[in-house]
Amino acid sequence: MKDTFSKVKGMEFPRYVQVGHGILDGLEQLCKDLQFHKTGMIITGSQTYKTAGKAVEQIMRDAGYSISVHQTGATTVENIDEAIAVGTERKAKFILGVGGGSKIDASKLVAANLGIPFISIPTSAAHDGIASGRASLKLDRGPKSIDAVTPIAIVADTEIISKAPHRYLAAGCADVISNLTALKDWDYARRLRAEPISSSAYTLAEMAANSIIASADLIGRGNEEGVWEAVKHIIISGVSMSVAGSSRPTSGSEHMFSHALDLMHVSNAMHGEQCGVGAIMMMYLHGGDWEAIRNALLKIGAPVDAKGLGVMDADIIEALMTAHKIRKDRFTILGTSGLTKQSAESAAKMTKVI
Ligand SMILES: [Zn+2]
C-alpha cells in the first residue's frame, strides 16, 4: 500500500527567554550569545526611551556596539515605513524593541521587512504580543493583525515592568485569561467544522490562562512578584501561537468582540481589557463558568463591564451583534449570522456587563 502521509508543520520560537529582576544587565552577554553584528537599532517611544531605552543604549554602547535610537509613535503604515527607511540607512543588522506593545509590534514589522532578528524588551506587558510573531498594524478602519517575525529573544525585566501603571499588566492578564473562550471556540470549530487542533498549543494556552487565574490575588497586589507570575504566563501564551502557527489558541469570539468595538471608534479601553470583558460574555454563550473569569478579572483589577471600559451599554450590544463579521475564516460560538439583539442584550445583562 502506498504511504499517503503528507502532513508538514513548521514552528518559529524565541531562542532565549529571560525573565526576572534586573535581567536587563545581561543584555550584553545575550547579544554576544546571539552573535549579533556590531551595528543595531533600538526602536522605542519617547516615554519608554526614558524608562528603559536610554539604559539599553548605554549598555550596548559600553559593550562596543554601534547602536542608533529610533523613536516612533503608533504602528501606522507611515511610521513603520519611516522606521524601515531609518534601519536601512543605518545598516542595522539587529533590532532591540524597547517599549510597550506598539513598540514591540513596530520592531517585529521592521525586523520582518529587513530580514534581521529582533529582541523584545517590554517595558509593560499589556498583551501577549510581547512574545509572539504577530503584530497589530493601525489602519484607518481599525487595527489589523498580521504575521511578522517571532522575537529571537525576550528580555522581560520585572523591575522595569513593575514600574508601568498596573492597568497595563491587568490588561495583559485579561488578554491571556481570554484564551479560555478562544479555546472553547477552537474546540467548537473542531466539532462543527472538523478544524484541526494542536493539543500542545491548546494545553499551553489553557495552562497560561489558568495559571494567571490561580495567581489573581497576587497579581492584583501590584508588586514585582505579581509581575513575575503574570509575565511568565503572558510569554507562554505567546509561545502557544508559535506552536499553533496561528493566533487560534489565544484569539476567538472575545477578540472579535474587541475588534468590533475598535471599528466603532467608541472605546479608549486597552485591547486586553476589551478581550477580558468579551471573554465573560462569550463564556456565558458557551455555557461555561463565566463567573470564574469575572472574579479573576476583578481580583486582578481589570474591567468587567461597560462602565469599566468607558463605553455605553448600546455599544456593547452593537459590538456583540457585529463581532461575527470580523473574521469570517474563524469559526466561533458566534456562528455565521451572529447574535440577535435580544440574545446580545440577554448575554450582556446576565453577565452584568451592562
Ligand atoms: Zn489579544
Side-chain angles (χ1 to χ4, degrees), residues 127-128 175 178 250-251 255 271-272 275:
H127 59 71
D128 56 17
D175 193 24
S178 85
T250 63
S251 170
H255 271 65
H271 166 81
C275 293

Side-chain angles (χ1 to χ4, degrees), residues 62-84:
D62 289 350
Y65 285 88
S66 164
I67 198 92
S68 54
V69 177
H70 178 66
Q71 293 191 11
T72 186
T75 50
T76 58
V77 174
E78 297 75 38
N79 282 342
I80 299 302
D81 283 346
E82 191 199 344
I84 291 169

Side-chain angles (χ1 to χ4, degrees), residues 205-226:
E206 187 179 41
M207 188 204 69
N210 285 334
S211 301
I212 284 188
I213 290 175
S215 306
D217 281 319
L218 172 66
I219 295 167
R221 272 178 233 142
N223 57 25
E224 193 176 337
E225 195 188 352

